[in-house]
Amino acid sequence: MALSMRCTVKSVFSFIHKSSSHRRLFKAGKAMGTTILHKGQVFSGIQPTGVPHLGNYLGALESWVALQDEYSVVIYSIVDLHSITQPQDPQMLRDNILDMAASLLACGIDPSRSILFQQSQVSEHAELSWILGCLTSMPRLRHLPQWKMKSKQKNEGSVGLYTYPVLQAADILLYKSTHVPVGEDQIQHLELAQDLARIFNNQYGQFFPEPCALLSGTRKVKSLRDPSSKMSKSDPQKLATVFLTDSPDDIVLKIRRAVTDFTPEVTYEPESRPGVSNLVSMHAAVSGQSVEQVVRLAEGMDTGQYKTVVAEAIVQKLQPIRLEIQRLRADRGHLESLLAKGAERARSLAAPVMTEVRKLLGFY
């Protein structure tokens, strides 16, 4: 599926990688031995908070995999510097970094088609963050939604939490990224990156492109126990979240216990029937069908019967990923080697950019 390469400040392009027309085009291109690529560079990052859940996979990672066949340069980072805005146990953080690497690889991130690396291993991220921070006003950061939310939860937030959107901007601009796959809740942070690119360019000459957003067309996956909120790793209710490493029995149990309502028919009405609609959305996403198609398939079933169908579809989708994560986790040395090689490749792109930035600032 072709995307327009034109991008004005704060513009957003939808990226719906499951479109049938794109699949046909991609398969045709592969059959002819050609590669279908858009110009431009893609960057995105994910925090090492353990194994991803189903919502992470459908909302982001599945799109990340597809982007490897869409763009000529695709860069994915495990953003461990961002994770330390909250207290971390060092050994657990190390384990989580490797678990995230294993998960990304198992989902289909391919180091031969993209760059996968650990953020802290490329020091240019922190250096550019400091420079951009000197171009950012405090009121600009204070009004970003993540700071408002997290600082209220903690009563007060750290300097790192306050300035981490600047580090996000540095992550993106360091590679002169043109496109960034993001969720809707990150749009304002991407706008900060666009603003900082413009401010830097106005002050030092045209240098950074203003990155565009790529939004996945997948609906947000909701908590199985509270469909008014997103599925979350930190949910205290163990039955609320499906993880990529859950066993088939665990998945069946969680879907069977999913909150629905007292109406037996299966319909898609997110406002009035959020629980059942969440199941329909998940079923559609993991099976590659439309919401209308899965609702038609469920005709004549009650919600109890339908939960069995949904659980089977999720198990079928996640089982190969679960087994591959287990295999990769067993070889920490292999994961560490892949991340080290990825950091080398990322550094080879970041270092020349920072050399030019230093020259523009007058450091030498």
mmCIF file of all heavy atoms in Angstrom, residues 18 54-55 58 218-224 231 240 242 255 258 268 275-288 291 294 306 310 313-314:
data_model
loop_
_atom_site.group_PDB
_atom_site.id
_atom_site.type_symbol
_atom_site.label_atom_id
_atom_site.label_comp_id
_atom_site.label_asym_id
_atom_site.label_seq_id
_atom_site.Cartn_x
_atom_site.Cartn_y
_atom_site.Cartn_z
ATOM 1 N N LYS A 18 -2.776 -4.562 6.901
ATOM 2 C CA LYS A 18 -3.495 -5.787 6.586
ATOM 3 C C LYS A 18 -4.380 -5.645 5.357
ATOM 4 O O LYS A 18 -5.138 -6.545 5.039
ATOM 5 C CB LYS A 18 -4.362 -6.198 7.777
ATOM 6 C CG LYS A 18 -3.535 -6.703 8.960
ATOM 7 C CD LYS A 18 -4.454 -7.179 10.055
ATOM 8 C CE LYS A 18 -3.656 -7.702 11.236
ATOM 9 N NZ LYS A 18 -4.519 -8.118 12.337
ATOM 10 N N LEU A 54 -0.801 -9.210 24.198
ATOM 11 C CA LEU A 54 -1.523 -9.268 22.922
ATOM 12 C C LEU A 54 -1.793 -7.878 22.358
ATOM 13 O O LEU A 54 -1.712 -7.665 21.139
ATOM 14 C CB LEU A 54 -2.836 -10.036 23.112
ATOM 15 C CG LEU A 54 -3.700 -10.241 21.857
ATOM 16 C CD1 LEU A 54 -2.959 -11.068 20.812
ATOM 17 C CD2 LEU A 54 -5.026 -10.910 22.232
ATOM 18 N N GLY A 55 -2.095 -6.931 23.221
ATOM 19 C CA GLY A 55 -2.353 -5.565 22.763
ATOM 20 C C GLY A 55 -1.115 -4.931 22.143
ATOM 21 O O GLY A 55 -1.200 -4.237 21.130
ATOM 22 N N LEU A 58 -0.685 -6.705 18.585
ATOM 23 C CA LEU A 58 -1.639 -6.297 17.549
ATOM 24 C C LEU A 58 -1.572 -4.802 17.280
ATOM 25 O O LEU A 58 -1.760 -4.355 16.149
ATOM 26 C CB LEU A 58 -3.059 -6.695 17.965
ATOM 27 C CG LEU A 58 -3.321 -8.199 18.104
ATOM 28 C CD1 LEU A 58 -4.730 -8.449 18.626
ATOM 29 C CD2 LEU A 58 -3.106 -8.912 16.774
ATOM 30 N N THR A 218 -5.243 -1.052 13.603
ATOM 31 C CA THR A 218 -5.787 -2.028 14.549
ATOM 32 C C THR A 218 -6.425 -1.327 15.741
ATOM 33 O O THR A 218 -5.853 -0.403 16.310
ATOM 34 C CB THR A 218 -4.673 -2.966 15.051
ATOM 35 O OG1 THR A 218 -4.053 -3.587 13.922
ATOM 36 C CG2 THR A 218 -5.219 -4.035 15.969
ATOM 37 N N ARG A 219 -7.608 -1.785 16.122
ATOM 38 C CA ARG A 219 -8.280 -1.211 17.288
ATOM 39 C C ARG A 219 -7.520 -1.591 18.565
ATOM 40 O O ARG A 219 -6.920 -2.659 18.649
ATOM 41 C CB ARG A 219 -9.723 -1.728 17.380
ATOM 42 C CG ARG A 219 -10.602 -1.306 16.220
ATOM 43 C CD ARG A 219 -11.981 -1.963 16.308
ATOM 44 N NE ARG A 219 -12.852 -1.535 15.225
ATOM 45 C CZ ARG A 219 -12.879 -2.084 14.027
ATOM 46 N NH1 ARG A 219 -12.063 -3.093 13.744
ATOM 47 N NH2 ARG A 219 -13.687 -1.637 13.096
ATOM 48 N N LYS A 220 -7.588 -0.723 19.565
ATOM 49 C CA LYS A 220 -6.918 -0.994 20.826
ATOM 50 C C LYS A 220 -7.530 -2.212 21.499
ATOM 51 O O LYS A 220 -8.744 -2.373 21.545
ATOM 52 C CB LYS A 220 -7.022 0.216 21.756
ATOM 53 C CG LYS A 220 -6.118 1.367 21.356
ATOM 54 C CD LYS A 220 -6.215 2.503 22.351
ATOM 55 C CE LYS A 220 -5.316 3.665 21.935
ATOM 56 N NZ LYS A 220 -5.449 4.813 22.856
ATOM 57 N N VAL A 221 -6.667 -3.062 22.043
ATOM 58 C CA VAL A 221 -7.130 -4.237 22.788
ATOM 59 C C VAL A 221 -7.380 -3.807 24.221
ATOM 60 O O VAL A 221 -6.528 -3.185 24.860
ATOM 61 C CB VAL A 221 -6.087 -5.360 22.729
ATOM 62 C CG1 VAL A 221 -6.540 -6.560 23.556
ATOM 63 C CG2 VAL A 221 -5.854 -5.776 21.279
ATOM 64 N N LYS A 222 -8.546 -4.153 24.721
ATOM 65 C CA LYS A 222 -8.951 -3.741 26.067
ATOM 66 C C LYS A 222 -8.669 -4.840 27.087
ATOM 67 O O LYS A 222 -8.496 -6.014 26.745
ATOM 68 C CB LYS A 222 -10.442 -3.393 26.075
ATOM 69 C CG LYS A 222 -10.853 -2.335 25.075
ATOM 70 C CD LYS A 222 -10.268 -0.981 25.403
ATOM 71 C CE LYS A 222 -10.803 0.118 24.505
ATOM 72 N NZ LYS A 222 -10.251 1.429 24.853
ATOM 73 N N SER A 223 -8.661 -4.452 28.340
ATOM 74 C CA SER A 223 -8.513 -5.401 29.444
ATOM 75 C C SER A 223 -9.645 -6.423 29.407
ATOM 76 O O SER A 223 -10.805 -6.077 29.159
ATOM 77 C CB SER A 223 -8.540 -4.651 30.777
ATOM 78 O OG SER A 223 -8.781 -5.533 31.854
ATOM 79 N N LEU A 224 -9.310 -7.679 29.674
ATOM 80 C CA LEU A 224 -10.340 -8.727 29.689
ATOM 81 C C LEU A 224 -11.227 -8.630 30.922
ATOM 82 O O LEU A 224 -12.343 -9.174 30.925
ATOM 83 C CB LEU A 224 -9.683 -10.108 29.639
ATOM 84 C CG LEU A 224 -8.885 -10.412 28.366
ATOM 85 C CD1 LEU A 224 -8.229 -11.783 28.473
ATOM 86 C CD2 LEU A 224 -9.778 -10.343 27.130
ATOM 87 N N MET A 231 -5.612 -3.037 27.693
ATOM 88 C CA MET A 231 -4.862 -4.173 28.216
ATOM 89 C C MET A 231 -3.490 -3.666 28.646
ATOM 90 O O MET A 231 -2.855 -2.888 27.945
ATOM 91 C CB MET A 231 -4.739 -5.266 27.157
ATOM 92 C CG MET A 231 -4.091 -6.544 27.638
ATOM 93 S SD MET A 231 -4.161 -7.899 26.423
ATOM 94 C CE MET A 231 -5.867 -8.436 26.605
ATOM 95 N N ALA A 240 -6.565 -10.420 33.354
ATOM 96 C CA ALA A 240 -6.932 -9.287 32.496
ATOM 97 C C ALA A 240 -6.112 -9.200 31.222
ATOM 98 O O ALA A 240 -6.541 -8.576 30.254
ATOM 99 C CB ALA A 240 -6.805 -7.979 33.278
ATOM 100 N N VAL A 242 -3.471 -11.008 28.234
ATOM 101 C CA VAL A 242 -2.912 -12.173 27.535
ATOM 102 C C VAL A 242 -1.488 -11.829 27.105
ATOM 103 O O VAL A 242 -1.280 -10.892 26.319
ATOM 104 C CB VAL A 242 -3.755 -12.554 26.304
ATOM 105 C CG1 VAL A 242 -3.071 -13.666 25.495
ATOM 106 C CG2 VAL A 242 -5.149 -12.986 26.714
ATOM 107 N N ILE A 255 -9.709 -16.015 28.415
ATOM 108 C CA ILE A 255 -10.816 -15.636 27.522
ATOM 109 C C ILE A 255 -12.144 -16.106 28.097
ATOM 110 O O ILE A 255 -13.166 -15.397 28.029
ATOM 111 C CB ILE A 255 -10.591 -16.207 26.105
ATOM 112 C CG1 ILE A 255 -9.310 -15.619 25.495
ATOM 113 C CG2 ILE A 255 -11.790 -15.905 25.209
ATOM 114 C CD1 ILE A 255 -9.300 -14.117 25.330
ATOM 115 N N ALA A 258 -13.301 -13.700 30.598
ATOM 116 C CA ALA A 258 -13.413 -12.305 30.138
ATOM 117 C C ALA A 258 -14.795 -11.736 30.449
ATOM 118 O O ALA A 258 -15.816 -12.424 30.283
ATOM 119 C CB ALA A 258 -13.135 -12.227 28.639
ATOM 120 N N TYR A 268 -21.184 -6.424 17.630
ATOM 121 C CA TYR A 268 -20.103 -5.475 17.809
ATOM 122 C C TYR A 268 -20.704 -4.104 18.073
ATOM 123 O O TYR A 268 -21.125 -3.394 17.163
ATOM 124 C CB TYR A 268 -19.200 -5.421 16.571
ATOM 125 C CG TYR A 268 -18.011 -4.502 16.767
ATOM 126 C CD1 TYR A 268 -16.952 -4.883 17.593
ATOM 127 C CD2 TYR A 268 -17.954 -3.256 16.146
ATOM 128 C CE1 TYR A 268 -15.874 -4.040 17.790
ATOM 129 C CE2 TYR A 268 -16.870 -2.404 16.333
ATOM 130 C CZ TYR A 268 -15.840 -2.805 17.159
ATOM 131 O OH TYR A 268 -14.770 -1.964 17.364
ATOM 132 N N GLY A 275 -17.372 -5.383 26.416
ATOM 133 C CA GLY A 275 -16.706 -6.662 26.656
ATOM 134 C C GLY A 275 -16.766 -7.584 25.454
ATOM 135 O O GLY A 275 -15.738 -8.102 24.994
ATOM 136 N N VAL A 276 -17.957 -7.800 24.925
ATOM 137 C CA VAL A 276 -18.121 -8.656 23.744
ATOM 138 C C VAL A 276 -17.421 -8.028 22.545
ATOM 139 O O VAL A 276 -16.777 -8.725 21.745
ATOM 140 C CB VAL A 276 -19.623 -8.887 23.448
ATOM 141 C CG1 VAL A 276 -19.804 -9.654 22.140
ATOM 142 C CG2 VAL A 276 -20.280 -9.638 24.585
ATOM 143 N N SER A 277 -17.535 -6.726 22.408
ATOM 144 C CA SER A 277 -16.900 -6.034 21.282
ATOM 145 C C SER A 277 -15.380 -6.169 21.331
ATOM 146 O O SER A 277 -14.717 -6.273 20.285
ATOM 147 C CB SER A 277 -17.299 -4.552 21.277
ATOM 148 O OG SER A 277 -18.698 -4.414 21.132
ATOM 149 N N ASN A 278 -14.810 -6.196 22.532
ATOM 150 C CA ASN A 278 -13.372 -6.411 22.673
ATOM 151 C C ASN A 278 -12.977 -7.793 22.155
ATOM 152 O O ASN A 278 -11.973 -7.955 21.448
ATOM 153 C CB ASN A 278 -12.975 -6.266 24.145
ATOM 154 C CG ASN A 278 -11.472 -6.266 24.356
ATOM 155 O OD1 ASN A 278 -10.710 -5.738 23.552
ATOM 156 N ND2 ASN A 278 -11.032 -6.876 25.447
ATOM 157 N N LEU A 279 -13.788 -8.804 22.465
ATOM 158 C CA LEU A 279 -13.525 -10.150 21.961
ATOM 159 C C LEU A 279 -13.608 -10.187 20.435
ATOM 160 O O LEU A 279 -12.781 -10.822 19.772
ATOM 161 C CB LEU A 279 -14.519 -11.146 22.563
ATOM 162 C CG LEU A 279 -14.430 -11.392 24.072
ATOM 163 C CD1 LEU A 279 -15.541 -12.347 24.522
ATOM 164 C CD2 LEU A 279 -13.064 -11.954 24.455
ATOM 165 N N VAL A 280 -14.600 -9.507 19.901
ATOM 166 C CA VAL A 280 -14.764 -9.455 18.434
ATOM 167 C C VAL A 280 -13.549 -8.789 17.789
ATOM 168 O O VAL A 280 -13.015 -9.277 16.779
ATOM 169 C CB VAL A 280 -16.069 -8.712 18.061
ATOM 170 C CG1 VAL A 280 -16.113 -8.438 16.556
ATOM 171 C CG2 VAL A 280 -17.293 -9.520 18.487
ATOM 172 N N SER A 281 -13.092 -7.680 18.358
ATOM 173 C CA SER A 281 -11.922 -6.972 17.819
ATOM 174 C C SER A 281 -10.689 -7.862 17.831
ATOM 175 O O SER A 281 -9.936 -7.923 16.850
ATOM 176 C CB SER A 281 -11.633 -5.707 18.632
ATOM 177 O OG SER A 281 -12.612 -4.730 18.418
ATOM 178 N N MET A 282 -10.469 -8.557 18.951
ATOM 179 C CA MET A 282 -9.311 -9.444 19.048
ATOM 180 C C MET A 282 -9.409 -10.572 18.031
ATOM 181 O O MET A 282 -8.429 -10.917 17.359
ATOM 182 C CB MET A 282 -9.198 -10.014 20.464
ATOM 183 C CG MET A 282 -8.738 -9.019 21.503
ATOM 184 S SD MET A 282 -8.355 -9.793 23.091
ATOM 185 C CE MET A 282 -9.982 -10.301 23.622
ATOM 186 N N HIS A 283 -10.600 -11.162 17.914
ATOM 187 C CA HIS A 283 -10.810 -12.258 16.970
ATOM 188 C C HIS A 283 -10.522 -11.797 15.540
ATOM 189 O O HIS A 283 -9.821 -12.478 14.770
ATOM 190 C CB HIS A 283 -12.247 -12.774 17.102
ATOM 191 C CG HIS A 283 -12.527 -13.991 16.281
ATOM 192 N ND1 HIS A 283 -13.814 -14.443 16.035
ATOM 193 C CD2 HIS A 283 -11.710 -14.855 15.627
ATOM 194 C CE1 HIS A 283 -13.750 -15.534 15.288
ATOM 195 N NE2 HIS A 283 -12.494 -15.801 15.025
ATOM 196 N N ALA A 284 -11.036 -10.630 15.193
ATOM 197 C CA ALA A 284 -10.814 -10.094 13.845
ATOM 198 C C ALA A 284 -9.323 -9.866 13.596
ATOM 199 O O ALA A 284 -8.790 -10.223 12.540
ATOM 200 C CB ALA A 284 -11.593 -8.796 13.662
ATOM 201 N N ALA A 285 -8.641 -9.305 14.586
ATOM 202 C CA ALA A 285 -7.226 -8.961 14.405
ATOM 203 C C ALA A 285 -6.341 -10.201 14.260
ATOM 204 O O ALA A 285 -5.478 -10.257 13.398
ATOM 205 C CB ALA A 285 -6.747 -8.103 15.577
ATOM 206 N N VAL A 286 -6.566 -11.208 15.116
ATOM 207 C CA VAL A 286 -5.684 -12.377 15.060
ATOM 208 C C VAL A 286 -5.995 -13.286 13.878
ATOM 209 O O VAL A 286 -5.136 -14.052 13.427
ATOM 210 C CB VAL A 286 -5.736 -13.206 16.369
ATOM 211 C CG1 VAL A 286 -5.279 -12.368 17.546
ATOM 212 C CG2 VAL A 286 -7.104 -13.815 16.618
ATOM 213 N N SER A 287 -7.214 -13.200 13.352
ATOM 214 C CA SER A 287 -7.595 -14.070 12.230
ATOM 215 C C SER A 287 -7.450 -13.384 10.867
ATOM 216 O O SER A 287 -7.626 -14.018 9.826
ATOM 217 C CB SER A 287 -9.040 -14.550 12.398
ATOM 218 O OG SER A 287 -9.956 -13.463 12.346
ATOM 219 N N GLY A 288 -7.154 -12.066 10.880
ATOM 220 C CA GLY A 288 -7.005 -11.337 9.625
ATOM 221 C C GLY A 288 -8.317 -11.076 8.920
ATOM 222 O O GLY A 288 -8.333 -10.823 7.712
ATOM 223 N N VAL A 291 -14.280 -7.111 11.237
ATOM 224 C CA VAL A 291 -15.244 -7.260 12.333
ATOM 225 C C VAL A 291 -16.553 -7.843 11.815
ATOM 226 O O VAL A 291 -17.156 -8.729 12.441
ATOM 227 C CB VAL A 291 -15.484 -5.892 13.015
ATOM 228 C CG1 VAL A 291 -16.745 -5.913 13.864
ATOM 229 C CG2 VAL A 291 -14.275 -5.500 13.854
ATOM 230 N N VAL A 294 -16.280 -11.696 11.275
ATOM 231 C CA VAL A 294 -16.285 -12.553 12.467
ATOM 232 C C VAL A 294 -17.642 -12.519 13.159
ATOM 233 O O VAL A 294 -18.063 -13.523 13.752
ATOM 234 C CB VAL A 294 -15.151 -12.185 13.450
ATOM 235 C CG1 VAL A 294 -13.790 -12.413 12.822
ATOM 236 C CG2 VAL A 294 -15.268 -10.775 13.980
ATOM 237 N N TYR A 306 -18.802 -18.541 21.806
ATOM 238 C CA TYR A 306 -17.930 -17.666 21.020
ATOM 239 C C TYR A 306 -16.572 -17.495 21.699
ATOM 240 O O TYR A 306 -15.538 -17.424 21.025
ATOM 241 C CB TYR A 306 -18.593 -16.303 20.819
ATOM 242 C CG TYR A 306 -17.771 -15.361 19.971
ATOM 243 C CD1 TYR A 306 -17.425 -15.693 18.661
ATOM 244 C CD2 TYR A 306 -17.325 -14.141 20.477
ATOM 245 C CE1 TYR A 306 -16.655 -14.839 17.877
ATOM 246 C CE2 TYR A 306 -16.564 -13.279 19.706
ATOM 247 C CZ TYR A 306 -16.233 -13.634 18.404
ATOM 248 O OH TYR A 306 -15.464 -12.789 17.630
ATOM 249 N N VAL A 310 -12.819 -17.668 20.007
ATOM 250 C CA VAL A 310 -11.817 -16.591 20.132
ATOM 251 C C VAL A 310 -10.529 -17.137 20.743
ATOM 252 O O VAL A 310 -9.420 -16.856 20.257
ATOM 253 C CB VAL A 310 -12.364 -15.432 20.985
ATOM 254 C CG1 VAL A 310 -11.275 -14.380 21.221
ATOM 255 C CG2 VAL A 310 -13.573 -14.790 20.311
ATOM 256 N N ALA A 313 -8.534 -19.113 18.250
ATOM 257 C CA ALA A 313 -7.892 -18.250 17.254
ATOM 258 C C ALA A 313 -6.637 -17.578 17.829
ATOM 259 O O ALA A 313 -5.608 -17.468 17.153
ATOM 260 C CB ALA A 313 -8.883 -17.200 16.757
ATOM 261 N N ILE A 314 -6.719 -17.130 19.084
ATOM 262 C CA ILE A 314 -5.572 -16.487 19.724
ATOM 263 C C ILE A 314 -4.455 -17.499 19.955
ATOM 264 O O ILE A 314 -3.272 -17.213 19.706
ATOM 265 C CB ILE A 314 -5.993 -15.809 21.046
ATOM 266 C CG1 ILE A 314 -6.948 -14.644 20.758
ATOM 267 C CG2 ILE A 314 -4.773 -15.316 21.816
ATOM 268 C CD1 ILE A 314 -7.550 -14.014 21.994
#
